[in-house]
Amino acid sequence: MQASHPTRHPGSPGSSGFGAALPPTALVAPCDIVVFGGGGDLALRKLLPALLYRDADGQLTADSRIIAVGRSPGDTAGFRARVAEALHRHAGEVPEAIHQGFLQRVVYLGLDATDGTALSALAPHLSDQPGRVRAFYLATAPDLFGPIAAALATAGLVTPDSRVVLEKPLGRDLASSCAINDAVGAVFSERQTFRIDHYLGKETVQNLLVLRFANVLFEHLWSHAEVDHVQITVAETLGVEGRAGYYDQSGALRDMVQNHLLQLLCLIAMEPPASLDQDAVRDEKLKVLRTLRPIRGGDVAVNTVRGQYRAGAVAGLAVPGYAEELGQDSATETFVAIKAQVETWRWAGVPFYLRTGKRLADRTSEIVLQFRPVPHVIFPQAPRANRLVIRLQPDEGIRLHLMAKEPGPGGVRLKDAALNLSFAETFSGRLPDAYERLLMDVVRGNPTLFMRRDEVEAAWRWVEPILAGWAESGERPKPYPAGSWGPSAAVALIERDGRTWAEDIG
Ligand code: BG6
């Protein structure tokens, strides 16, 4: 697989790692991308627009194809009309001629993808050129991953150059995740399996590695010696939109913490990898997951808070509560706050406060490293401790808060001022969507930014006792009004340690 197109395509397997600098227009190997759940929200809103953008960047070869497979009957002409509409909505800035060319790549097949015989209908749409990359993207419910993989094998469609892409969530606990991995693993090797956590494809998340390991400034500060605590917030203003059916079975812990927040924590807490080799990075992340102190039994009530939004107002607009959106009562959490501890020499005694929720006051994903106060104060006014704020979205950037003397009369007045690296001001061009990079990495065969099986399972191992603790307590999630920062218990979680959530620091 690695050496399929070594000379024609600089972006082909083997030539790229996370760190390989490729020209932005490097072609990836010719490929057939099959999207199961092809008519679904993820495909129309994210995957197809991402592929269109990469087509516009000149990365797809002329003969690369996209086959959408869905359960609903339908034909290619009707599907292309739907795709055209979605692309205009989500990728409107791409020139029209490229839209038209892209649509010609797209084919639709309505069939039951768990039936190997039915799936044979896919064969005529796939190139049998040797070495051709086949990417099977399973944007379906996770309980279909195993059956679809088996049906692909039955239909004889899995070649050595095939890869399978699994959307999160991978199961709903450790046992179901293992069962899915086993079922998919019976058909695809680990090398062929790409488990998506789209946060890893975000430019600002990839930049965490660069910030930490391409600069000498921070490494000496990056430990319990100088860091007081870390906050990781992923706040959304949206509710559950059209996904209430899925979400109610999942909740914020499974939907966001088990994957996105823990991956962010890993990138902040991991030791420097020896290289950017796929396993060097993932080995270090895995070590972090394994050193997280388990939260179980009585600790669950002390170190976690779960909430559910009630009716309220977001950006001045009245919005219904979760149960009203769902149409029934529910004990599913739409908010979680957790105090986590990484039990290593580097991070001893440094809490990591994690927080995520829907219908919060603002859409913001941010990591804050709060440094320790100066050891001895010589000013009449105590300096505020330094803070490194890594803003993942929106207004992507990095701010280093320092104390400065406010100019002018009035003695030495200290002022918190920030060195501000704004992505929008510093870099020209658009910020690509996470799925663009990830889809191209699938075709290139580069799994560095994907989750390895052992990582996913280690994350479930840490999350499970929290789920169990909540189930045992029988306590319902604490209510919070839509448009707030979550239940007051989340404020108490950090304030009882004498600390404050970042938005309250100002
Ligand atoms: C998804 C979750 O993985 O991430 C959604 O299933 C959530 O519930 C989404 O809204 C957030 O992603 P982003 O890229 O908008 O921050």
Side-chain angles (χ1 to χ4, degrees):
M1 184 158 80
Q2 292 274 315
S4 313
H5 301 277
T7 46
R8 273 179 62 203
H9 306 288
S12 64
S15 65
S16 74
F18 168 77
L22 302 172
T25 51
L27 283 172
V28 296
C31 55
D32 295 331
I33 300 176
V34 184
V35 183
F36 294 93
D41 181 62
L42 181 73
L44 293 174
R45 201 164 46 83
K46 290 288 184 185
L47 305 181
L48 293 167
L51 290 169
L52 173 69
Y53 273 116
R54 290 305 163 119
D55 200 3
D57 286 341
Q59 288 202 305
L60 297 185
T61 60
D63 60 347
S64 289
R65 313 166 195 184
I66 299 160
I67 303 111
V69 178
R71 262 177 313 190
S72 321
D75 60 15
T76 293
F79 185 69
R80 283 184 183 165
R82 277 180 73 200
V83 174
E85 205 241 322
L87 292 180
H88 282 116
R89 184 141 15 102
H90 301 293
E93 76 219 41
V94 175
E96 188 55 31
I98 296 176
H99 276 252
Q100 291 312 321
F102 179 81
L103 286 174
Q104 298 314 307
R105 300 179 183 276
V106 178
V107 167
Y108 181 78
L109 294 177
L111 51 82
D112 175 2
T114 61
D115 173 348
T117 313
L119 210 49
S120 311
L122 197 52
H125 299 280
L126 300 175
S127 161
D128 51 13
Q129 228 180 318
R132 172 90 169 194
V133 171
R134 287 182 184 173
F136 299 111
Y137 196 120
L138 309 193
T140 64
D143 52 344
L144 298 180
F145 294 171
I148 294 177
L152 283 167
T154 308
L157 297 175
V158 182
T159 58
D161 287 293
S162 293
R163 302 109 162 75
V164 67
V165 188
L166 307 178
E167 248 309 321
K168 62 153 272 282
L170 209 74
R172 47 177 295 104
D173 52 23
L174 181 60
S176 55
S177 170
C178 291
I180 292 169
N181 278 322
D182 287 344
V184 173
V187 178
F188 294 93
S189 67
E190 182 65 24
R191 190 181 56 107
Q192 293 175 297
T193 306
F194 290 72
R195 298 177 191 81
I196 286 249
D197 180 321
H198 79 277
Y199 265 59
L200 294 178
K202 287 184 190 275
E203 288 285 342
T204 44
V205 175
Q206 295 175 49
N207 192 46
L208 290 175
L209 288 175
V210 177
L211 177 75
R212 288 196 57 197
F213 305 124
N215 294 295
V216 77
L217 284 187
F218 297 113
E219 177 54 21
H220 302 288
L221 304 175
W222 215 263
S223 78
H224 68 95
E226 306 298 348
V227 176
D228 175 77
H229 73 277
V230 178
Q231 297 183 19
I232 301 178
T233 298
V234 177
E236 298 183 90
T237 48
L238 291 177
V240 287
E241 312 306 304
R243 301 163 69 229
Y246 149 74
Y247 194 86
D248 200 53
Q249 295 303 308
S250 174
L253 189 68
R254 291 187 176 95
D255 185 50
M256 297 293 288
V257 177
Q258 191 269 348
N259 33 77
H260 305 325
L261 275 88
L262 285 185
Q263 286 291 322
L264 295 177
L265 184 150
C266 286
L267 292 172
I268 293 294
M270 70 193 234
E271 293 301 314
S275 71
L276 280 173
D277 175 77
Q278 45 169 288
D279 282 321
V281 174
R282 297 192 295 179
D283 285 348
E284 294 304 334
K285 287 196 291 157
L286 178 64
K287 283 187 208 161
V288 175
L289 292 167
R290 288 185 172 156
T291 51
L292 279 171
R293 181 188 296 166
I295 301 180
R296 56 167 58 103
D299 287 345
V300 175
V302 178
N303 291 316
T304 75
V305 172
R306 59 180 192 146
Q308 188 189 85
Y309 61 85
R310 299 287 185 261
V314 176
L317 290 179
V319 293
Y322 176 72
E324 293 153 70
E325 273 186 56
L326 186 67
Q328 64 189 55
D329 187 38
S330 164
T332 298
E333 80 285 355
T334 60
F335 175 97
V336 188
I338 300 181
K339 179 181 172 184
Q341 298 279 353
V342 179
E343 298 202 295
T344 59
W345 186 299
R346 185 188 285 267
W347 294 114
V350 178
F352 284 70
Y353 298 98
L354 313 180
R355 183 174 56 152
T356 184
K358 301 223 178 261
R359 289 276 193 238
L360 295 181
D362 203 3
R363 174 175 178 254
T364 166
S365 295
E366 207 169 72
I367 300 172
V368 179
L369 273 88
Q370 173 82 48
F371 293 98
R372 295 194 182 281
V374 293
H376 175 65
V377 178
I378 59 168
F379 302 101
Q381 180 192 347
R384 191 179 264 184
N386 299 130
R387 257 178 304 144
L388 179 67
V389 180
I390 304 164
R391 178 88 169 182
L392 304 177
Q393 65 186 29
D395 308 329
E396 293 80 359
I398 297 168
R399 291 195 313 274
L400 180 60
H401 287 260
L402 304 171
M403 293 314 279
K405 177 189 177 298
E406 198 170 351
V412 180
R413 283 173 292 119
L414 303 185
K415 179 104 180 122
D416 182 330
L419 293 177
N420 192 355
L421 190 160
S422 150
F423 275 42
E425 285 168 21
T426 310
F427 303 107
S428 58
R430 71 186 182 90
L431 218 51
D433 186 76
Y435 280 97
E436 294 178 37
R437 167 69 195 258
L438 295 175
L439 280 161
M440 294 303 98
D441 276 357
V442 169
V443 180
R444 293 185 186 108
N446 176 11
T448 311
L449 296 177
F450 295 79
M451 292 185 296
R452 221 167 45 192
R453 174 173 181 161
D454 49 9
E455 277 183 88
V456 176
E457 292 175 0
W460 276 124
R461 251 179 224 110
W462 186 72
V463 157
E464 268 197 340
I466 301 177
L467 289 167
W470 288 346
E472 274 159 31
S473 81
E475 248 184 60
R476 294 178 65 84
K478 299 192 165 40
Y480 64 95
S484 69
W485 281 105
S488 54
V491 177
L493 176 83
I494 190 165
E495 290 197 343
R496 69 163 191 248
D497 294 343
R499 300 178 174 117
T500 322
W501 288 112
E503 81 278 356
D504 298 330
I505 302 173

